[in-house]
């Protein structure tokens, strides 16, 4: 009897334990599923959603990484770097040296590489973000950091110095590289690669200049000249929307759609400036304005002598290639013996402009676009402009492409002949438009170029002139001797345009705008 009762009690107890264990496992499983659902829902929330839920208790340490870490790629890059460095050195020397010649400032007669080595320390890829922003393309953003040990020596020649070697030391690069792969149906399935540096965050290139066997003071302002040259090349050639298009060998494909093209025309009237800072010890500054979207296409107004509240009413027209990301930059300078001094600078985001609507805008001038390095943050006055944006048609776009090529070739020829110091020199706007567009009458392009050794030149309408010496009068504006004047994408000094004036919202940062 005892044996039977023992077996019965053991069986009941065993069944009870098994049932309890099963129930516990089912409970834990349901908890895990509920927690996984909650985590998945939390993973769908962004920073703003979490702030609404947590309120003031939102922890600042929570991050939302958009770049995937690629430690494995950095390991492979370390092994490949000796071979990559050798190939990159050849490519940089062949491609960058012509750019140094095109973008070198007027105070330098020659700028070349004496030595070029990228060192033994490879760049580090902090992360990669892959996107599909457009059908048929794969977009890859690479967060690149490089604190290498390169050996870069520039040979600088000027009028007063035969050859001054300048070494770039402590080079550091922080940027995000955008690589776009254009896909195709043929092996290797990629027809072209587009490379550019994203403008946000802004590329950061730091280095220290050291003269080898000489002094940086041998050429006044040499450090600033080299800094400006490096920044201009990066901004004008590599920084988005500008890009380098590399066709992949063996695949016959049209890459014209990947290249940057003129998008529209920005018609400007530089009206006046108020309360400019005086840079002169005796008398007042002699201000003029340079305006540009691309530094290679820089135009300037006439000089107003001895005046801190100058009036120009000068018309200039600039070509925009990407209205969403580009800016029009206005720099007010004081004409002086030697190097002109900056009175103030401002920029206007083109994305704020409405097509075919003229606006009058007052820009707040600043000492620099990068205010972090500026100690003197005092007010530099204001610049008043009128601006109107025109979207190109296909015919106008094709004409603008040809016109840009012609102007650049003309400036290169002038530099080779010694009529201008550099292709970076600002030129006097002195040509008119017929209708809207880039010197278009119907589908034809109105343009003309004249070269005058010396004397007096006068012209009205579309055209361009080169003045070797003497004074050129175009409309009511005066051109200095030896400057390249006008083109079919500039306006006539002193003339006015009709159109309603519409105020814009205030944009105070980076030399922003405020309504009048």
């Amino acid at each position: 009897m005892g044996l039977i009762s023992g077996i019965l009690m053991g069986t009941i107890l065993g069944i009870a334990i098994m049932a309890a264990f099963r129930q516990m496992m089912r409970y834990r499983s349901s908890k895990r599923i509920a927690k996984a659902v909650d985590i998945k829902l939390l993973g769908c929330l962004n920073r703003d959603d979490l702030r609404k839920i947590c309120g003031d208790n939102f922890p600042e340490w929570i991050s939302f990484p958009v770049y995937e870490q690629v430690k494995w790629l950095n390991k492979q890059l370390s092994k490949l770097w000796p071979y990559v460095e050798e190939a990159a050195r050849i490519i940089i020397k062949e491609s960058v040296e012509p750019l140094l010649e095109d973008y070198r400032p007027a105070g330098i007669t020659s700028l070349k590489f004496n030595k070029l080595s990228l060192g033994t320390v490879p760049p580090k890829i902090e992360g990669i973000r892959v996107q599909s922003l457009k059908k048929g393309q794969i977009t890859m953003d690479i967060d690149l950091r490089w604190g290498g040990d390169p050996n870069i020596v520039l040979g600088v020649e000027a009028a007063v110095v035969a050859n001054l070697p300048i070494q770039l030391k402590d080079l550091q690069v922080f940027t995000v590289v955008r690589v776009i792969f254009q896909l195709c149906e043929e092996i290797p399935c990629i027809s072209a690669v587009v490379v550019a540096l994203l403008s946000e965050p802004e590329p950061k290139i730091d280095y220290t200049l050291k003269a080898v066997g000489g002094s940086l003071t041998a050429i006044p302002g040499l450090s600033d000249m080299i800094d400006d040259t490096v920044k201009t090349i990066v901004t004008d050639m590599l920084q988005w929307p500008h890009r380098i298009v590399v066709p992949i060998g063996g695949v016959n494909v049209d890459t014209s759609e990947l290249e940057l093209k003129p998008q529209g025309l920005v018609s400007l009237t530089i009206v006046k400036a108020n309360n400019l800072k005086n840079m002169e010890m005796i008398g007042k500054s002699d201000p003029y304005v340079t305006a540009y979207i691309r530094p290679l296409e820089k135009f300037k107004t006439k000089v107003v002598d001895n005046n801190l509240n100058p009036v120009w009413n000068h018309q200039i027209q600039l070509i925009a290639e990407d209205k969403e990301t580009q800016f029009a930059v206005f720099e007010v300078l004081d004409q002086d013996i030697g190097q002109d001094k900056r009175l103030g600078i401002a920029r206007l985001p083109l994305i704020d402009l409405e097509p075919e609507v003229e606006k009058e805008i007052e820009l707040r001038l600043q000492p620099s676009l990068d205010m972090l390095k500026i100690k003197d943050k005092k007010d530099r006055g204001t610049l008043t402009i009128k601006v109107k944006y025109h979207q190109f048609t296909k015919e106008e776009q094709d004409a603008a492409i040809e016109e840009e090529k012609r102007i650049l070739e003309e400036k290169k020829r002038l530099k080779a002949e010694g009529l201008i110091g550099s292709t970076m020199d600002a030129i006097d706007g002195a040509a008119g438009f017929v209708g809207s567009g880039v010197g278009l009458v119907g589908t034809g392009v109105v343009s003309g170029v004249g070269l005058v050794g010396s004397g007096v030149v006068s012209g009205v309408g579309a055209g361009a002139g080169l003045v070797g010496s003497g004074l050129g009068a175009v409309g009511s504006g005066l051109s200095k001797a030896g400057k390249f004047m006008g083109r079919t994408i500039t306006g006539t000094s002193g003339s006015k345009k009709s159109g309603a004036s519409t105020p814009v919202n205030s944009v105070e940062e980076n030399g922003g705008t405020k309504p009048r």
Side-chain angles (χ1 to χ4, degrees):
M1 186 68 181
L3 178 62
I4 296 175
S5 62
I7 294 173
L8 183 61
M9 290 296 295
T11 303
I12 295 173
L13 182 61
I15 293 174
I17 292 174
M18 292 177 61
F21 179 77
R22 183 173 181 272
Q23 183 65 25
M24 183 182 66
M25 295 300 296
R26 182 180 295 177
Y27 175 77
R28 291 182 62 184
S29 176
S30 63
K31 281 290 187 180
R32 284 196 300 267
I33 293 174
K35 184 180 289 186
V37 172
D38 293 339
I39 292 174
K40 185 176 181 180
L41 291 175
L42 286 174
C44 297
L45 299 178
N46 56 30
R47 186 180 294 271
D48 294 333
D49 294 332
L50 285 179
R51 285 189 181 277
K52 292 178 182 178
I53 296 173
C54 300
D56 297 334
N57 297 320
F58 177 76
E60 293 296 333
W61 49 264
I62 293 181
S63 62
F64 293 80
V66 294
Y67 289 85
E68 297 181 15
Q69 292 187 350
V70 284
K71 295 181 179 179
W72 63 270
L73 186 56
N74 286 316
K75 292 181 180 178
Q76 300 303 318
L77 184 58
S78 298
K79 299 177 181 178
L80 292 172
W81 180 245
Y83 307 98
V84 174
E85 188 273 339
E86 184 176 354
R89 183 174 70 246
I90 298 174
I91 294 173
I92 290 173
K93 190 171 181 62
E94 292 178 350
S95 58
V96 174
E97 269 199 349
L99 294 179
L100 292 176
E101 181 63 23
D102 289 341
Y103 287 86
R104 65 170 172 80
I108 297 176
T109 58
S110 178
L111 189 61
K112 297 180 179 179
F113 288 113
N114 283 357
K115 292 182 180 179
L116 177 60
S117 172
L118 301 183
T120 59
V121 180
K124 183 180 179 181
I125 300 175
E126 294 290 333
I128 292 179
R129 175 179 61 185
V130 179
Q131 307 175 82
S132 296
L133 302 178
K134 189 176 180 181
K135 186 177 180 181
Q137 294 181 352
I138 296 177
T139 301
M140 182 183 297
D141 295 337
I142 304 172
D143 187 0
L144 187 70
R145 312 291 173 91
W146 185 37
D149 57 343
N151 183 15
I152 302 175
V153 179
L154 294 173
V156 181
E157 294 182 8
V160 295
V161 178
N163 192 320
L164 179 63
I166 301 296
Q167 185 178 15
L168 274 68
K169 299 185 64 178
D170 304 325
L171 180 64
Q172 293 183 334
V173 179
F174 305 90
T175 186
V176 177
V177 182
R178 169 159 288 184
V179 182
I180 301 176
F181 298 95
Q182 180 68 35
L183 305 180
C184 66
E185 296 178 353
E186 301 178 19
I187 299 295
C189 299
I190 299 175
S191 60
V193 177
V194 180
V195 181
L197 306 182
L198 291 188
S199 56
E200 294 294 339
E202 184 175 355
K204 184 179 179 182
I205 303 177
D206 293 332
Y207 51 84
T208 303
L209 296 177
K210 179 183 178 181
V212 180
S215 172
L216 290 176
T217 59
I219 304 177
L222 177 61
S223 296
D224 292 337
M225 290 181 187
I226 294 178
D227 289 344
D228 290 343
T229 301
V230 172
K231 185 175 181 180
T232 301
I233 290 176
V234 171
T235 303
D236 202 40
M237 295 297 298
L238 296 174
Q239 189 167 317
W240 190 267
H242 304 288
R243 74 287 302 265
I244 296 175
V245 180
V246 183
I248 301 299
V251 180
N252 186 16
V253 65
D254 182 16
T255 60
S256 59
E257 292 300 320
L258 299 175
E259 297 173 355
L260 190 63
K261 295 181 179 179
Q263 191 179 83
L265 184 72
V266 181
S267 299
L268 298 165
T269 301
I270 300 177
V271 182
K272 62 180 180 179
N274 290 317
N275 303 319
L276 296 178
K277 182 179 179 179
N278 190 14
M279 291 291 189
E280 300 293 337
M281 297 292 292
I282 301 175
K284 299 178 181 178
S285 296
D286 307 319
Y288 66 94
V289 180
T290 63
Y292 63 90
I293 295 175
R294 293 191 64 182
L296 278 181
E297 298 175 8
K298 188 181 296 185
F299 303 93
K300 69 178 182 179
T301 68
K302 62 183 179 181
V303 178
V304 178
D305 295 329
N306 199 38
N307 198 327
L308 298 181
N309 297 283
V311 177
W312 293 283
N313 283 320
H314 188 100
Q315 290 188 353
I316 293 174
Q317 291 178 311
L318 306 173
I319 289 179
E321 294 160 318
D322 190 345
K323 181 173 177 285
E324 284 69 29
T325 61
Q326 287 184 315
F327 298 83
V329 180
F330 303 88
E331 188 174 13
V332 184
L333 298 164
D334 175 23
Q335 187 183 52
D336 207 344
I337 299 174
Q339 189 173 3
D340 296 346
K341 301 173 184 176
R342 177 187 289 173
L343 300 179
I345 190 170
R347 66 179 186 176
L348 174 68
L350 301 185
I351 195 173
D352 295 340
L353 304 181
E354 300 177 24
E356 311 302 338
V357 176
E358 186 176 66
K359 298 180 180 180
E360 181 172 317
I361 302 171
E362 187 176 79
L363 300 171
R364 183 170 58 87
L365 297 173
Q366 294 184 340
S368 172
L369 294 179
D370 185 5
M371 292 297 293
L372 294 177
K373 300 180 181 179
I374 301 299
K375 295 181 180 180
D376 181 12
K377 302 182 184 294
K378 294 181 181 178
D379 185 41
R380 292 296 184 98
T382 60
L383 178 68
T384 302
I385 64 170
K386 292 180 181 178
V387 58
K388 183 179 179 180
Y389 180 77
H390 168 73
Q391 187 77 25
F392 279 151
T393 62
K394 183 63 171 65
E395 291 78 11
E396 292 170 344
Q397 185 182 69
D398 294 339
I401 294 174
E402 295 303 319
E403 188 64 13
E404 281 188 320
K405 292 179 181 178
R406 185 185 66 80
I407 293 300
L408 182 57
E409 290 300 321
E410 204 62 43
K411 293 183 74 173
K412 288 181 179 179
R413 185 177 66 83
L414 284 175
K415 186 182 72 171
E417 295 177 358
L419 297 178
I420 59 176
S422 168
T423 52
M424 294 291 294
D425 283 356
I427 61 178
D428 297 312
F433 281 76
V434 180
S436 60
V438 186
L440 294 175
V441 181
T443 59
V445 182
V446 181
S447 62
V449 179
L451 180 60
V452 181
S454 61
V456 180
V457 180
S458 63
V460 179
L466 310 177
V467 182
S469 60
L471 293 177
V474 184
S476 61
L478 293 178
S479 171
K480 285 188 171 183
K483 296 294 182 181
F484 174 61
M485 296 176 44
R487 54 186 247 186
T488 59
I489 55 171
T490 57
T492 305
S493 172
S495 61
K496 294 183 178 181
K497 288 189 175 182
S498 60
S501 177
T502 305
V504 298
N505 294 331
S506 174
V507 181
E508 293 294 328
E509 61 179 3
N510 290 328
T513 64
K514 59 181 179 181
R516 284 181 57 81

